Amino acid sequence: MSGILEVRDVEVTFEVGPLMRRRSILGVAGVSFDLHAGETFAIVGESGSGKTTLARAINGLQGISAGSIRFGEERIDTLGGRAMKPLRRRMSMMFQDPVGSLSPRMKVGNLIAEPFRIHEIVDKNPSVEVPRLLSLVGLTPEFADRYPHQLSGGQARRVGVARAIALNPALIIADEPTAGLDVSVQGEVLNLLNDLRERLGLAMIIITHNLHVVHHVADRMAVMYLGRFVEVGDTDEVFRAPRHPYTAALLSANPEPDPDKARDRIALPAEVPSLLARPAGCEFHSRCPWVAARCKSEAPEFVQGRTRRVACHTPLEPGARPPELEVTQ
């Protein structure tokens, strides 16, 4: 597989607080990863961990304060305004709210054809392309005459997918693609994305906190905490043997049909540290069941393995359990 996206040491800074007492916070703090053609890369973490901010930075919708983002041969972070327009034909984004991301004043057919007008593509006939795209996402041509409020959540998501693939992009960034959908519809959407990836040769970045989504679609995954990646690796390997305590806690909390699995859940303190007051040392130490003295004062470096990167002083061994496992029923 060839590299299609290269993210290196990316930081995103926000200014917060009253005008005369503004403070800077790091929403994304030194993130690096590569994405290959035809690959699906998932970014997971709790709400507020910086996942969507990173996605917007990759798409050029959010400026970065340090690092670099390269898409193909182009440095995205050095472009702006109209200079990004040619790249947007090759990089699509699906936003979180499937209905809210569609203009309520436009019919589905016009929404799907809108990318052709924006990018001034005259060799595509909307009367031909719209039914073709609707068919690709499992909808009939009749949906072209509906308004967004006449769609279910699953149908609106399919329309969003049709818009995303209209210009034959090389990369799709999908922010919470199954949010707000019934479980059965989630499966349909995930199967659709997988099918389109294989048929069209797409690369995808999936932003989610739903670990079932990750296991179903992602080749590799990254776990994000307070704007940083703490573990990156092959999805099956991470699920089988997480090496960072935060990853282990997330996976242990993943809903399971077997009630006996509840005995293995790792309960973390609910309070996530503020970005305005990042903990010293390892930023996860205040919630970590395996915390040691070193963790409170010394920030860990990434430990690079053959297929895994982990930012932890003492990465977990397979099957590791906290010294004092708090059981939740």
Side-chain angles (χ1 to χ4, degrees):
M1 292 187 294
S2 59
I4 189 174
L5 180 72
E6 179 187 277
V7 177
R8 288 290 178 270
D9 303 316
V10 165
E11 295 183 357
V12 177
T13 304
F14 297 104
E15 298 294 323
V16 299
L19 183 61
M20 301 302 294
R21 293 160 58 187
R22 304 287 276 177
R23 297 179 60 185
S24 295
I25 62 170
L26 273 176
V28 176
V31 165
S32 299
F33 71 94
D34 294 325
L35 180 71
H36 303 283
E39 180 184 36
T40 297
F41 184 74
I43 303 173
V44 305
E46 294 168 289
S47 296
S49 61
K51 304 184 302 294
T52 295
T53 299
L54 176 59
R56 291 175 60 85
I58 293 169
N59 194 246
L61 298 175
Q62 171 67 55
I64 68 175
S65 52
S68 65
I69 302 172
R70 186 178 296 276
F71 179 57
E73 300 300 320
E74 294 280 354
R75 278 278 301 272
I76 292 175
D77 56 288
T78 61
L79 301 177
R82 295 189 64 84
M84 274 293 296
K85 191 173 181 179
L87 286 184
R88 295 199 192 284
R89 293 183 58 171
R90 301 172 52 217
M91 183 193 305
S92 295
M93 186 154 181
M94 294 166 49
F95 296 93
Q96 286 189 31
D97 185 350
V99 177
S101 62
L102 303 176
S103 171
R105 294 187 174 91
M106 297 176 68
K107 290 184 177 181
V108 165
N110 290 330
L111 287 166
I112 294 176
E114 190 176 28
F116 303 133
R117 293 192 293 272
I118 292 173
H119 290 273
E120 302 172 347
I121 297 174
V122 297
D123 61 343
K124 297 285 188 181
N125 185 343
S127 64
V128 174
E129 289 299 307
V130 169
R132 180 184 72 84
L133 291 165
L134 285 171
S135 176
L136 276 175
V137 299
L139 296 175
T140 60
E142 290 74 24
F143 277 87
D145 290 322
R146 297 189 186 183
Y147 286 95
H149 73 270
Q150 297 173 307
L151 304 175
S152 68
Q155 291 166 347
R157 178 54 78 198
R158 289 174 183 269
V159 171
V161 174
R163 275 169 56 95
I165 65 175
L167 300 179
N168 298 316
L171 169 64
I172 289 180
I173 303 172
D175 193 358
E176 298 286 4
T178 61
L181 303 180
D182 293 339
V183 174
S184 60
V185 180
Q186 289 182 19
E188 293 175 3
V189 170
L190 293 177
N191 288 334
L192 171 64
L193 291 174
N194 257 342
D195 179 59
L196 290 174
R197 179 186 70 161
E198 294 176 0
R199 292 171 63 180
L200 305 178
L202 298 168
M204 288 198 296
I205 297 175
I206 304 289
I207 310 293
T208 185
H209 63 269
N210 186 332
L211 291 170
H212 285 302
V213 170
V214 176
H215 211 182
H216 188 77
V217 303
D219 301 299
R220 292 188 302 123
M221 63 182 286
V223 180
M224 199 168 191
Y225 185 75
L226 290 185
R228 302 186 194 277
F229 283 177
V230 296
E231 182 162 5
V232 183
D234 176 84
T235 299
D236 288 336
E237 289 187 12
V238 172
F239 269 75
R240 185 168 57 250
R243 306 221 61 201
H244 195 281
Y246 180 57
T247 309
L250 287 181
L251 293 177
S252 76
N254 204 27
E256 292 281 354
D258 183 357
D260 291 335
K261 291 286 187 180
R263 299 194 182 112
D264 296 326
R265 289 181 183 164
I266 302 170
L268 298 178
E271 190 68 26
V272 179
S274 169
L275 292 176
L276 287 169
R278 289 177 174 271
C282 173
E283 294 174 341
F284 184 62
H285 83 254
S286 61
R287 305 175 72 198
C288 182
W290 287 271
V291 64
R294 180 186 181 189
C295 305
K296 299 177 182 180
S297 60
E298 184 181 339
E301 299 290 336
F302 260 115
V303 177
Q304 179 68 59
R306 187 175 61 85
T307 59
R308 195 90 63 96
R309 287 190 295 144
V310 185
C312 183
H313 290 305
T314 55
L316 302 180
E317 296 298 327
R321 294 167 61 86
E324 296 179 6
L325 180 64
E326 182 178 346
V327 179
T328 58
Q329 299 294 342

